Amino acid sequence: MSDTTATAGPVIHGAYEISADLARIDVARVHHWLSTDAYWALGRPREKQDRDIAASLNYGAYHRESGEMSAYARVVTDYATFAWLCDVYVDRAARGTGLGTALATAVRDDLEVYGLRRIMLATADAHGVYEKVGFTPLQNPDKWMALGQQ
């Protein structure tokens, strides 16, 4: 990972603490969640997930009593102009608590210090979560292009 790291300390959301401390990420749990239950990452090999984590800014949400990891988000960024929020996952047991919105908010707030021009994401089913944090549909989607799977 880059020597540039998140700037904010942990954020409290009800029974959860959100942190960008890489040492706290339960990589086996993240891999299990994403490779078995996340439509965008089904079957993702562990080696690829490990590389993703190593090259990204990672956030976890942890139950304050048990310490168990309850949610995850990853950011790919140059820390200057652009960031991609991805692999956002909330454990099924923690869904409906507002944790997804709190996690996206913590990421947004943490990245604010860098003055990024744009933070992007893609979602098939969580538009309402991200709209609460300020994300909007692309104004000119015809200007954007992609290489690879769409």
Side-chain angles (χ1 to χ4, degrees):
M1 186 170 129
S2 166
D3 59 359
T4 305
T5 57
T7 57
V11 172
I12 303 300
H13 173 75
Y16 302 96
E17 177 184 62
I18 299 168
S19 170
D21 182 352
L22 180 60
R24 293 181 70 184
I25 299 293
D26 182 341
V27 295
R29 187 173 182 100
V30 169
H31 176 256
H32 175 75
W33 281 338
L34 297 180
S35 67
T36 65
D37 195 40
Y39 67 84
W40 66 91
L42 292 175
R44 182 182 290 169
R46 174 67 189 265
E47 315 81 58
K48 183 171 280 203
Q49 186 64 55
D50 289 349
R51 286 196 321 265
D52 288 346
I53 289 171
S56 302
L57 176 57
N58 300 270
Y59 292 82
Y62 307 90
H63 194 275
R64 292 169 62 197
E65 285 185 21
S66 69
E68 183 176 66
M69 189 172 183
S70 300
Y72 174 75
R74 182 169 73 86
V75 177
V76 180
T77 184
D78 60 8
Y79 296 98
T81 59
F82 183 81
W84 180 264
L85 174 58
C86 55
D87 287 345
V88 178
Y89 186 91
V90 177
D91 186 83
R92 289 185 178 275
R95 292 181 187 172
T97 64
L99 185 55
T101 301
L103 181 58
T105 300
V107 170
R108 179 202 64 199
D109 293 351
D110 207 29
L111 294 175
E112 187 174 1
V113 68
Y114 300 109
L116 302 174
R117 181 174 179 205
R118 182 172 289 116
I119 302 171
M120 301 286 297
L121 63 82
T123 185
D125 59 356
H127 294 80
V129 169
Y130 300 110
E131 286 170 349
K132 291 176 190 174
V133 180
F135 284 88
T136 60
L138 292 174
Q139 289 182 343
N140 299 300
D142 55 317
K143 290 183 178 182
W144 293 87
M145 299 179 73
L147 178 64
Q149 295 182 359
Q150 294 188 35

